[in-house]
């Protein structure tokens, strides 16, 4: 079984709709992250959480919100989706006890906003 | 803020060596990483180097770090078609968040 799972894997929606992307992990890691990937722009950090009570904005948080429901679950919401939020979204985890800060990625969610 | 730059595309012939380059701006980087993304998948850590090292070798992979110039490279010896992927350079201050580069798409020509 995959250690970091994301649902849905693909989603097509319309402008103005509310969308939630979910991430679950069985690795027991305390830190979780949401990134978006756009061609030519690489990975950009949207939000990150170092534990259940800690939520931080990344470099492109406008238009997004997150919820850390439990150590294993971190969801990303688009309150009112717009076309330039069309991208590939990745959830990742890391373990603060491991010094090299390796990040473990989910398989990604491809979101299209029409 | 931190910035990590890479060229977007590299094409090599099967059996040749590939060299992917990266520059970064954060002088306090503790770890520098290379991640690999295969089509339709998330990123996976390929290798990393601690900032007090100049070189790290792992089978066909060689990582070189020039801390003075803030330059990191990944050399893949005897490149195979299975090495075709996007390679991301990244840096971290250790216990902080990781900053990723734009990714270099490696195309291996049979």
């Amino acid at each position: 079984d995959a250690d970091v799972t994301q649902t849905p894997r693909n989603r097509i929606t319309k402008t103005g709709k509310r969308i939630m992307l979910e991430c679950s992990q069985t690795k027991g890691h305390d830190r979780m992250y949401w990134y978006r990937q756009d061609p030519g722009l690489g990975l950009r950090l949207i939000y990150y959480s170092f534990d259940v009570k800690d939520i931080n904005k990344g470099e492109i948080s406008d238009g997004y919100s997150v919820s850390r429901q439990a150590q294993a679950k971190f969801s990303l919401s688009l309150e009112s989706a717009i076309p330039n939020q069309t991208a590939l979204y990745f959830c990742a985890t890391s373990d603060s006890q491991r010094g090299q800060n390796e990040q473990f990625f989910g398989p990604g969610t491809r979101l299209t906003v029409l | 803020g931190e910035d990590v730059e890479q060229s977007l595309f590299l094409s090599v012939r099967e059996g040749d060596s590939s060299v992917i380059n990266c520059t970064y701006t954060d002088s306090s980087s503790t770890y520098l990483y290379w991640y690999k993304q295969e089509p339709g998948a998330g990123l996976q850590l390929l290798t990393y180097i601690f900032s007090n090292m100049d070189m790290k070798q792992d089978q066909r992979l060689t990582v070189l770090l020039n801390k003075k110039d803030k330059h990191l490279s990944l050399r893949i010896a005897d490149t195979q078609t299975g090495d075709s992927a996007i390679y991301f350079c990244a840096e971290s201050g250790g216990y902080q968040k990781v900053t990723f580069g734009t990714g270099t798409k490696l195309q291996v020509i049979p």
Side-chain angles (χ1 to χ4, degrees):
Chain A
D1 287 339
D3 296 317
V4 184
T5 56
Q6 293 183 233
T7 55
R9 293 295 313 279
N10 287 283
R11 182 72 184 268
I12 300 173
T13 191
K14 294 182 178 179
T15 297
K17 293 292 188 181
R18 183 178 188 276
I19 296 296
M20 179 180 286
L21 308 183
E22 299 189 354
C23 177
S24 293
Q25 54 119 342
T26 59
K27 300 187 77 66
H29 289 172
D30 50 342
R31 297 181 171 186
M32 298 186 75
Y33 310 80
W34 275 105
Y35 295 91
R36 65 176 278 176
Q37 183 180 14
D38 298 276
L41 296 178
L43 248 62
R44 292 182 291 167
L45 183 62
I46 306 172
Y47 270 95
Y48 62 104
S49 170
F50 281 177
D51 65 42
V52 175
K53 296 180 181 177
D54 176 78
I55 303 286
N56 304 281
K57 292 183 177 181
E59 57 183 299
I60 54 161
S61 58
D62 287 350
Y64 301 95
S65 62
V66 291
S67 173
R68 185 85 183 264
Q69 301 94 322
Q71 188 184 40
K73 295 184 183 296
F74 193 36
S75 59
L76 176 73
S77 293
L78 288 68
E79 296 301 326
S80 179
I82 56 176
N84 78 359
Q85 290 177 313
T86 293
L88 190 52
Y89 289 84
F90 287 103
C91 174
T93 72
S94 70
D95 182 354
S96 64
Q97 298 303 304
R98 292 183 62 144
Q100 76 271 29
N101 204 14
E102 177 181 357
Q103 303 218 333
F104 294 83
F105 285 79
T109 294
R110 186 167 295 280
L111 177 66
T112 303
V113 183
L114 301 175
Chain B
E2 303 88 355
D3 196 21
V4 180
E5 297 284 341
Q6 305 175 237
S7 56
L8 292 180
F9 190 76
L10 176 67
S11 180
V12 299
R13 294 208 173 272
E14 189 174 18
D16 288 349
S17 292
S18 307
V19 179
I20 303 172
N21 294 299
C22 167
T23 57
Y24 60 97
T25 58
D26 187 0
S27 57
S28 64
S29 296
T30 305
Y31 293 98
L32 294 120
Y33 313 85
W34 285 104
Y35 281 80
K36 179 182 181 182
Q37 183 184 28
E38 296 188 356
L43 283 68
Q44 279 195 303
L45 183 66
L46 202 54
T47 186
Y48 69 94
I49 188 168
F50 192 57
S51 60
N52 67 356
M53 298 169 64
D54 298 324
M55 185 181 85
K56 181 177 181 180
Q57 189 151 1
D58 183 3
Q59 298 183 334
R60 292 190 298 121
L61 306 178
T62 303
V63 178
L64 295 178
L65 174 60
N66 182 328
K67 199 172 179 182
K68 175 177 170 288
D69 293 339
K70 298 190 184 69
H71 183 267
L72 183 75
S73 68
L74 173 70
R75 178 177 180 269
I76 305 173
D78 187 25
T79 311
Q80 303 297 307
T81 54
D83 295 323
S84 293
I86 301 176
Y87 291 81
F88 288 89
C89 173
E91 64 86 21
S92 169
Y95 291 93
Q96 305 304 315
K97 57 187 174 67
V98 178
T99 301
F100 289 86
T102 51
T104 299
K105 185 171 185 177
L106 175 65
Q107 179 188 47
V108 181
I109 303 167

